[in-house]
Amino acid sequence: MDNSGHEKEPPALAGTSNGRPLYLVHIALQGCIKSGDINYGLTADTGGHIRYLLEEVRALQQAGVNQSVVTRAFADANLGREYQQQSEILMPGVTLHRLRGQCPGYLCKEDMHCDLDALTDALALWLQKLPRLPDVLHAHYADAGLLALRMRERLGIPFIFTAHSLGAVKARWLESVPGHSVAAPALKQRMAVEQRVIDCADLIVASSEDEATNQYGLYSRTDCARPIRINPPGCDLKRFGEPAMRGRVVASLRRFLADPDKPILLCLARPVRKKNIIGVIDAYARDPALRARANLVIFAGTRGDIQDQEGECAEVLQAIVDRIEHYDLYGSVAFPKQHLADDVPAIYQHAARSGGLFINAAFNEPFGLTFIEAAAAGLPIIASCNGGAQDILSRCQNGILIDPENSSAITCAAHDLLDDRKRWSRCARGGKDAVRYYSWQRHARQYLRDCSMLTSPPRRHLPLMAHASPRPSLIRLASRSSSLLVTDMDDTLLGDAAALLEFTEWLKHNRQLRYAVATGRSAAAAFAELLSWHAPLPDVLISSVGAEIHWAPIAPRYKVRYIDKVDRMRADAGWAEQLSARWRRDACAAVLARCPLLRKQPAEAQGRNKLSYFTDAGPNVVPLVREQLARAQLIAQVVYSHDHFIDVLAPGGAKGGAAEHVARCLEIPAARVVGAGNSGNDLDLLRRTAYGIAVANRDTDLQALAPLPSVYFSRAPHAAGLVEGMCYWQGGASPSVKTG
Ligand SMILES: O=c1ccn([C@@H]2O[C@H](COP(=O)(O)OP(=O)(O)O[C@H]3O[C@H](CO)[C@@H](O)[C@H](O)[C@H]3O)[C@@H](O)[C@H]2O)c(=O)[nH]1
Ligand SMILES: O=P(O)(O)OC[C@H]1O[C@](O)(CO)[C@@H](O)[C@@H]1O
């Protein structure tokens, strides 16, 4: 970094594509990423994807690739102060940059969606400040995939996607859990994001045959979908294979075990339900012969007081303690509170020295880095048959696959391996030998081969600043296949009769374009207003700042007389349902009723998915409202506009989210959606659509968008600005410049 906070040009090293040094930016948002030792299991999301990322970066670095890693900044005194730092050196030559979103605190992956728009803008800005755009982005996990997809739409950078774990696989498992028959809204949203990312990624990297075939098989794949490459991750074979100092580990276990010399059955996993640690305890506890034969040792992240833990981790940790108590497993089960990152190889090696086994009976383990770590340490394994272990075991032949739901399968496999010492030794030795295949060097070589497909021939990036560049030729909005225009109503579409006429004419010549109006007004009021202006009626009406959607029966703009009131349009009940499942409206209303800076708008402005207020406190009221809601553990989308309106909406329920929903329903790719507007309640729309138009009579609120290359600032006001912007994005005749 130089003093201005800009990254220096990455040094020119090997690993080139078309003669240029390859520059790769990885995006990984969730969990706690930092330089130095990672505290795996510190939160439910601090797990294998981070180990994978860091080791992949190191291997690619050694192969001469220039890289940066981007994650999310957050402030959380319990997790550590380092996560607030804007940037740090991750490893020599690689910078870790932390994007600031709008939520200051730590977010678990289920809540990350509320910050993704702000993170998108922060990433776009950061990328623009780099002396050179990356050749490729690599997104780790769904939410990072969405950011990469948006960068591809805005800047034309190709991206690689590694899922690490797919929502559809989890949903399938949850369906089989009593009381969980329907996937939670956050999981549904994640699957929708994954589907979009899968549709658009330039390359998908899977870790195993099972992941590529069965796990991705749960998503739809079009004929022209990009390839899925199987490139298994590696393992630091030296670290896990060469004898480590076991003293600290031995001491930490002695405190728990009556006979510490018995073979160890080792579980090492993040404390989350999916890992089924509880299932292993149940199986062990109910088999007296196994209890007599072996100790059970559980490492599940590091913890202080369980009461201070949150969410799923707290629940699983408490359940482990309760099970130990329930079965009275004292003396035969060890459950240390802490371990150091440095101790992990010694943990596996100590279990191997005891003649023990590694058990991972996860309901699904997409790949399972722990399997190859155990193999490298010479520890035979009992592995869930669901997921990556099928590949690993068929290569390493170092253990037994079991059905994780079947308790006796787990204990039978343990007896078989513990009692047959020859078999145990074959597994230990054979595994250690075969696991050499899983080297990061091999991974890096294949990675670079695959990556070269993306960088050659060189792709044109969309212009960073439109006024400095030729019109984006990659955009073919004028082509025959359909696109979607979502325009704000008051003071964008309406407000100038002559301009509206110009737009109406233009629309007649663009019949392939689907056209939606998005307004803060109620559907009925908006419809009446459109009629009174003789405006072309839209295919879709998004009203109440995005909270409601109505669909026209058929091409309404040519059949105006058949639709004389909004009741003839179909209300999108699914959208309303989806939104209300995402928030606690009454709880939000109760919190905001106590806020002296807000006055409630009349009843007709309130809706199932919208709470509306007046304020005289200016835009700074927005962070205050968010903070009050966050303190009550509530999430909502807060929209400020026209100097005195505050709309509080279900997360994702503003105009941009509604536009995405409409595009999905129409099967129009996100890359072909244009948003247009003039005021603060259009910010979400202009940020989330691939192409934006801010008309000349815009409010200062929209100035925040000036740095975004995907937003065009028209010179003409009202609907004439719409036409000008559309011509600009279509690469047509209007010779406008982008002005901030
Ligand atoms: O108490 C613990 C628990 C875990 N770990 C480490 O954390 C990593 C966990 O990785 P993994 O076993 O692969 O599981 P997940 O954390 O669930 O990782 C996800 O991402 C991985 C990388 O893509 C995939 O291999 C997994 O299947 C997928 O679930 C391993 O290196 C462990 O050694 C610790 O150090 N201490
Ligand atoms: O169980 P899920 O919801 O698929 O999540 C898997 C988790 O595993 C990880 O890959 C662990 O690092 C995280 O990215 C993610 O939080």
Side-chain angles (χ1 to χ4, degrees):
M1 286 268 187
D2 62 19
N3 293 339
S4 66
H6 292 196
E7 293 242 330
K8 292 215 175 83
E9 174 87 31
L13 295 171
T16 62
S17 63
N18 299 321
R20 279 197 334 164
L22 180 69
Y23 178 38
L24 198 62
V25 169
H26 297 263
I27 313 170
L29 301 176
Q30 79 256 29
C32 303
I33 305 183
K34 62 180 175 81
S35 61
D37 286 343
I38 301 286
N39 215 340
Y40 291 101
L42 178 63
T43 66
D45 298 333
T46 307
H49 80 288
I50 300 179
R51 167 93 72 197
Y52 178 117
L53 164 72
L54 296 179
E55 297 195 353
E56 180 178 70
V57 169
R58 188 178 300 284
L60 290 169
Q61 225 264 347
Q62 284 162 2
V65 179
N66 300 313
Q67 296 166 97
S68 305
V69 176
V70 169
T71 187
R72 181 178 170 273
F74 58 83
D76 187 310
N78 290 331
L79 296 175
R81 303 177 75 84
E82 55 271 51
Y83 307 106
Q84 292 185 54
Q85 231 175 285
Q86 184 175 337
S87 65
E88 57 177 310
I89 302 296
L90 190 59
M91 58 189 75
V94 182
T95 308
L96 172 66
H97 178 81
R98 293 196 178 86
L99 302 172
R100 280 183 208 291
Q102 64 175 23
C103 310
Y106 178 78
L107 289 175
C108 65
K109 65 182 185 307
E110 287 78 8
D111 291 340
M112 189 73 76
H113 59 90
C114 69
D115 217 18
L116 290 180
D117 292 341
L119 292 171
T120 301
D121 290 347
L123 177 59
L125 277 177
W126 178 77
L127 288 171
Q128 285 174 66
K129 284 187 187 165
L130 295 173
R132 174 188 148 192
L133 281 180
D135 298 294
V136 178
L137 297 172
H138 187 157
H140 298 264
Y141 202 73
D143 42 23
L146 186 65
L147 258 63
L149 166 61
R150 289 174 173 173
M151 292 309 111
R152 184 168 172 273
E153 285 164 358
R154 290 181 185 189
L155 306 173
I157 309 171
F159 77 98
I160 299 174
F161 176 57
T162 300
H164 295 285
S165 176
L166 285 161
V169 179
K170 187 168 188 170
R172 222 168 51 154
W173 160 57
L174 283 174
E175 274 164 21
S176 67
V177 178
H180 271 103
S181 54
V182 179
L187 187 53
K188 280 192 183 156
Q189 182 164 338
R190 167 176 159 193
M191 289 189 280
V193 168
E194 285 167 344
Q195 182 66 65
R196 278 182 64 194
V197 173
I198 291 167
D199 287 344
C200 300
D202 295 273
L203 177 71
I204 293 172
V205 178
S207 294
S208 65
E209 180 76 43
D210 180 76
E211 187 187 6
T213 318
N214 299 329
Q215 301 176 37
Y216 277 99
L218 298 174
Y219 294 78
S220 69
R221 306 249 310 138
T222 57
D223 290 346
C224 55
R226 306 307 199 292
I228 297 181
R229 301 285 292 168
I230 301 172
N231 187 1
C235 171
D236 187 340
L237 299 170
K238 215 165 150 221
R239 183 162 173 260
F240 287 94
E242 289 183 0
M245 306 283 278
R246 291 182 295 118
R248 204 164 35 214
V249 172
V250 173
S252 80
L253 299 183
R254 267 188 199 286
R255 302 189 298 125
F256 293 91
L257 303 173
D259 181 356
D261 295 329
K262 281 185 193 170
I264 287 172
L265 304 177
L266 172 67
C267 292
L268 185 136
R270 290 175 295 123
V272 291
R273 284 187 287 273
K274 189 178 84 170
K275 297 291 181 183
N276 194 25
I277 299 172
I278 300 298
V280 176
I281 301 177
D282 286 343
Y284 172 79
R286 290 174 189 153
D287 183 330
L290 192 59
R291 276 170 73 163
R293 178 87 174 80
N295 291 319
L296 178 63
V297 169
I298 302 164
F299 284 92
T302 56
R303 64 187 187 277
D305 195 333
I306 294 182
Q307 316 305 324
D308 298 336
Q309 303 279 320
E310 285 183 2
E312 193 176 350
C313 281
E315 190 192 302
V316 172
L317 292 170
Q318 189 58 53
I320 295 174
V321 173
D322 292 348
R323 285 298 209 278
I324 294 172
E325 166 72 19
H326 173 73
Y327 294 115
D328 192 1
L329 295 173
Y330 300 104
S332 52
V333 170
F335 182 33
K337 279 167 95 82
Q338 308 277 333
H339 63 280
L340 299 175
D342 262 355
D343 290 338
V344 176
I347 293 171
Y348 290 112
Q349 288 177 15
H350 182 60
R353 279 281 285 254
S354 76
L357 304 168
F358 177 69
I359 306 183
N360 176 343
F363 295 111
N364 183 282
E365 188 59 81
F367 178 73
L369 293 174
T370 48
F371 294 131
I372 52 179
E373 292 167 357
L379 180 62
I381 63 181
I382 294 177
S384 168
C385 61
N386 299 331
Q390 298 176 43
D391 286 27
I392 298 170
L393 274 180
S394 74
R395 183 174 292 277
C396 296
Q397 301 289 326
N398 64 332
I400 298 178
L401 284 176
I402 47 94
D403 171 1
E405 315 266 2
N406 183 344
S407 227
S408 59
I410 300 174
T411 50
C412 285
H415 284 296
D416 285 355
L417 286 169
L418 291 175
D419 293 345
D420 184 345
R421 296 319 288 174
K422 279 194 182 140
R423 186 174 180 192
W424 186 95
S425 301
R426 258 197 327 274
C427 289
R429 267 199 318 272
K432 202 167 170 142
D433 201 31
V435 81
R436 281 186 295 183
Y437 167 78
Y438 294 101
S439 85
W440 281 110
Q441 286 71 25
R442 189 212 52 76
H443 177 93
R445 278 194 302 276
Q446 186 183 328
Y447 188 102
L448 290 176
R449 272 198 305 276
D450 293 342
C451 215
S452 66
M453 294 189 318
L454 307 185
T455 51
S456 135
R459 294 168 69 111
R460 273 193 60 189
H461 294 134
L462 298 184
L464 282 178
M465 295 298 282
H467 58 75
S469 322
R471 227 87 59 79
S473 60
L474 286 181
I475 305 161
R476 291 198 201 88
L477 289 175
S479 71
R480 289 176 65 80
S481 65
S482 81
S483 315
L484 170 68
L485 166 67
V486 184
T487 173
D488 168 52
M489 190 178 80
D490 293 292
D491 288 326
T492 304
L493 178 68
L494 309 183
D496 178 330
L500 179 59
L501 219 65
E502 190 189 330
F503 174 75
T504 309
E505 269 313 294
W506 177 87
L507 200 56
K508 279 188 194 149
H509 294 103
N510 286 275
R511 288 176 183 243
Q512 84 289 355
L513 184 78
R514 307 302 295 266
Y515 144 73
V517 166
T519 172
R521 297 199 197 206
S522 69
F527 199 84
E529 194 68 6
L530 288 169
L531 286 182
S532 78
W533 278 84
H534 301 289
L537 292 183
D539 301 309
V540 188
L541 178 62
I542 296 171
S543 56
S544 304
V545 203
E548 288 183 29
I549 296 177
H550 286 79
W551 294 84
I554 39 155
R557 55 190 128 125
Y558 312 113
K559 298 188 185 300
V560 176
R561 80 191 95 99
Y562 298 121
I563 306 178
D564 49 359
K565 49 183 181 201
V566 77
D567 300 357
R568 302 210 194 276
M569 296 181 92
R570 181 179 58 80
D572 191 327
W575 173 242
E577 242 357 273
Q578 195 177 316
L579 289 185
S580 51
R582 281 187 203 162
W583 77 325
R584 292 163 55 202
R585 181 190 185 279
D586 295 345
C588 290
V591 167
L592 298 178
R594 295 193 293 273
C595 179
L597 301 172
L598 303 181
R599 273 170 296 122
K600 222 169 163 192
Q601 290 184 26
E604 56 273 21
Q606 315 296 336
R608 175 178 171 193
N609 292 312
K610 171 173 172 272
L611 293 162
S612 294
Y613 303 86
F614 297 117
T615 183
D616 299 319
N620 289 341
V621 75
V622 174
L624 295 177
V625 168
R626 282 199 191 109
E627 201 181 305
Q628 295 218 1
L629 292 172
R631 254 192 252 131
Q633 312 276 328
L634 296 168
I635 303 177
Q637 195 152 348
V638 184
V639 178
Y640 173 80
S641 62
H642 301 288
D643 285 336
H644 71 140
F645 294 134
I646 287 278
D647 292 299
V648 179
L649 304 149
K655 287 183 181 181
E660 284 176 0
H661 174 82
V662 168
R664 263 198 304 280
C665 295
L666 292 172
E667 296 185 346
I668 293 178
R672 305 186 69 85
V673 182
V674 187
N678 77 306
S679 82
N681 73 21
D682 301 316
L683 272 171
D684 183 59
L685 177 67
L686 295 178
R687 282 194 171 117
R688 288 169 80 142
T689 44
Y691 305 103
I693 302 169
V695 291
N697 55 307
R698 59 194 161 263
D699 292 352
T700 49
D701 298 344
L702 295 199
Q703 213 49 38
L705 300 171
L708 295 185
S710 58
V711 179
Y712 176 78
F713 286 78
S714 77
R715 289 190 303 194
H718 298 101
L722 269 183
V723 177
E724 180 191 319
M726 287 306 291
C727 290
Y728 176 83
W729 287 126
Q730 288 176 328
S734 179
S736 302
V737 288
K738 177 179 169 124
T739 55

